[in-house]
Amino acid sequence: MKPYSDVAAGMRTIGLLGGMSWESTVPYYRIINETVKEALGGLHSAKIVLVSVDFEPIERMQHADEWEETAKILAAEARSVERGGAQCLVLCTNTMHKVASEIQKAIDIPLLHIATATGRAVTSAGLAKVGLLGTKFTMEETFYRQQLENDYALDVMIPTEPDRNTVHRIIYDELCLGIIHESSREAFNQVLASLVGSGAEGVILGCTEISMLVRHEDSAVPLFDTAELHAKYAARWALQEDS
């Protein structure tokens, strides 16, 4: 085992900005530490600065289309993460990457974008046409899909409007509250099947809570859990295995 001083000198500190919702922030912390432990062995764990926000007011601003205000809040919290000694920022949510550029402008450390982790995984799997599940903001607006399409040449499909409404409702009314209903699992599986029937070679779970509900064994095509991919990307970055 390497001396602690050697490991500490080589491992960078990850900054997590979470709480949106806290249900999906927990896996980030666990997966990052599991990845570091697997790489370094023993009792090693990640060096992390975590700031977790109160999601209630942010959720209200999302649905009121007050994105500029959410950007100001998260930019201020990101500066707190940076002041705490973080060397990168990981925004533990897909939807709030809508204001990622505003957050990046407020800090001097790199923001590790969730679409980067996702796009790399999809292209590494050799897929070109994928479905996207998430909040209506993530599915319907361009901030997420466009990066996948432009940077990774992916053909990104989204569900029908009724299916988008169903997915959005389950995310906010159930998953963000830690509620799991079998009827909702079945509803998601039907949406997955519809995307596959329309030609999706894989499906991106583009909301960090969805993996609480959707299981890999329920899908006929590969599923890409963005929370897991993002967390592992951050861990590799901290270990200086990934730029």
Side-chain angles (χ1 to χ4, degrees):
M1 182 182 298
K2 294 180 181 179
Y4 175 78
S5 58
D6 291 346
V7 174
M11 182 163 53
R12 296 184 283 198
T13 301
I14 299 169
L16 299 181
L17 182 49
M20 298 166 282
S21 67
W22 71 262
E23 291 282 353
S24 64
T25 303
V26 173
Y28 270 86
Y29 186 81
R30 174 178 54 79
I31 292 167
I32 288 170
N33 279 294
E34 287 174 348
T35 305
V36 168
K37 179 182 178 182
E38 182 179 355
L40 301 180
L43 296 175
H44 286 295
S45 56
K47 296 160 64 178
I48 294 174
V49 176
L50 169 62
V51 170
S52 188
V53 301
D54 179 9
F55 190 37
E56 176 77 18
I58 291 174
E59 183 273 335
R60 288 199 300 265
M61 291 175 194
Q62 288 176 340
H63 287 92
D65 201 30
E66 296 174 352
W67 296 99
E68 185 176 344
E69 290 304 311
T70 67
K72 290 178 182 177
I73 292 170
L74 296 187
E77 299 293 356
R79 287 191 289 269
S80 296
V81 173
E82 184 175 19
R83 287 196 298 270
Q87 294 168 277
C88 73
L89 182 72
V90 175
L91 193 56
C92 304
T93 163
N94 284 273
T95 297
M96 293 314 302
H97 278 76
K98 178 177 170 68
V99 296
S101 60
E102 291 91 328
I103 295 171
Q104 180 65 88
K105 291 174 185 176
I107 56 178
D108 294 321
I109 57 177
L111 184 152
L112 306 186
H113 203 290
I114 197 167
T116 300
T118 303
R120 289 180 178 183
V122 174
T123 54
S124 293
L127 307 186
K129 189 172 186 177
V130 289
L132 173 63
L133 299 180
T135 66
K136 290 184 71 173
F137 311 115
T138 299
M139 291 186 289
E140 295 178 357
E141 299 187 32
T142 61
F143 70 92
Y144 194 87
R145 289 187 289 116
Q146 195 167 65
Q147 184 158 337
L148 293 173
E149 292 165 350
N150 292 348
D151 293 355
Y152 299 95
L154 296 175
D155 182 359
V156 182
M157 307 165 53
I158 61 173
T160 63
E161 184 175 4
D163 283 349
R164 295 198 300 272
N165 291 337
T166 296
V167 169
H168 185 89
R169 176 189 61 77
I170 291 172
I171 289 171
Y172 280 98
D173 293 351
E174 298 174 21
L175 300 183
C176 286
L177 298 172
I179 298 170
I180 304 296
H181 290 310
E182 285 302 317
S183 59
S184 295
R185 194 191 310 277
E186 180 57 32
F188 261 76
N189 288 342
Q190 290 175 5
V191 176
L192 280 170
S194 179
L195 287 169
V196 173
S198 297
E201 301 168 336
V203 176
I204 295 169
L205 307 184
C207 175
T208 49
E209 285 84 11
I210 294 178
S211 60
M212 297 165 56
L213 186 66
V214 174
R215 301 172 299 205
H216 288 273
E217 59 266 29
D218 293 331
S219 176
V221 297
L223 300 179
F224 297 88
D225 178 356
T226 53
E228 179 180 13
L229 294 171
H230 201 199
K232 288 183 175 180
Y233 173 35
R236 292 193 302 270
W237 186 93
L239 294 165
Q240 302 196 50
E241 297 175 355
D242 197 321
S243 59

